[in-house]
Amino acid sequence: MDLYEAVKSGVDWADNVFVKNIDESEAKTDLTFLLVRDATQELDNYGSNTFHTMTYTLQIQIFYASDSDLDYDEVELKLFRYLESKGYLISNVRGRLQDPDTYQDYQTFLVNIEKEV
């Protein structure tokens, strides 16, 4: 939820931000929206026979409006820098593809954050 809140407050060029799943009634092809969801969690920094941190890997997908005039590189780099300023590490950018059903361009990337537990 922390990442969702960060994205929601830091992205002014998207029409909506969804968490965990896309509300199809609000996800129109003429809108740009993001989907934030969990990917993996890893226990780390072991000492005294127990772990002390958890590394969360989270996935963000950007679905661009089918008639978008956004500069994809510009908004993605702006988002990457913003997330880094919030303590997230951009760990994987998968490259843009086009959804075969909606014909929307979309980008998927992963971010990591480590938290003490």
Side-chain angles (χ1 to χ4, degrees):
M1 291 308 279
D2 293 340
L3 178 60
Y4 168 74
E5 293 298 329
V7 170
K8 192 156 180 73
S9 66
V11 173
D12 60 358
W13 45 265
D15 298 298
N16 208 339
V17 179
F18 299 103
V19 64
K20 297 185 182 179
N21 55 40
I22 297 172
D23 181 346
E24 291 188 31
S25 67
E26 296 182 39
K28 309 290 184 203
T29 60
D30 61 341
L31 300 176
T32 296
F33 55 90
L34 290 89
L35 173 62
V36 177
R37 60 183 165 184
D38 292 327
T40 63
Q41 299 166 344
E42 183 177 326
L43 303 175
D44 208 355
N45 291 324
Y46 282 85
S48 299
N49 294 323
T50 190
F51 59 92
H52 296 281
T53 62
M54 183 175 291
T55 301
Y56 295 88
T57 301
L58 305 142
Q59 177 178 283
I60 299 174
Q61 288 183 291
I62 306 169
F63 292 85
Y64 293 101
S66 53
D67 61 350
S68 177
D69 60 354
L70 290 171
D71 180 327
Y72 296 170
D73 288 330
E74 181 180 320
V75 296
E76 290 169 13
L77 290 171
K78 183 179 175 183
L79 178 57
F80 296 164
R81 288 188 181 108
Y82 170 75
L83 291 173
E84 284 183 338
S85 77
K86 295 294 184 185
Y88 293 91
L89 173 67
I90 311 306
S91 61
N92 186 299
V93 180
R94 298 202 174 143
R96 288 182 212 102
L97 298 171
Q98 189 175 75
D99 185 291
D101 297 322
T102 66
Y103 302 105
Q104 286 176 275
D105 292 331
Y106 70 94
Q107 172 67 277
T108 303
F109 64 98
L110 301 175
V111 299
N112 294 343
I113 192 161
E114 184 176 274
K115 294 185 178 184
E116 288 188 30
V117 290

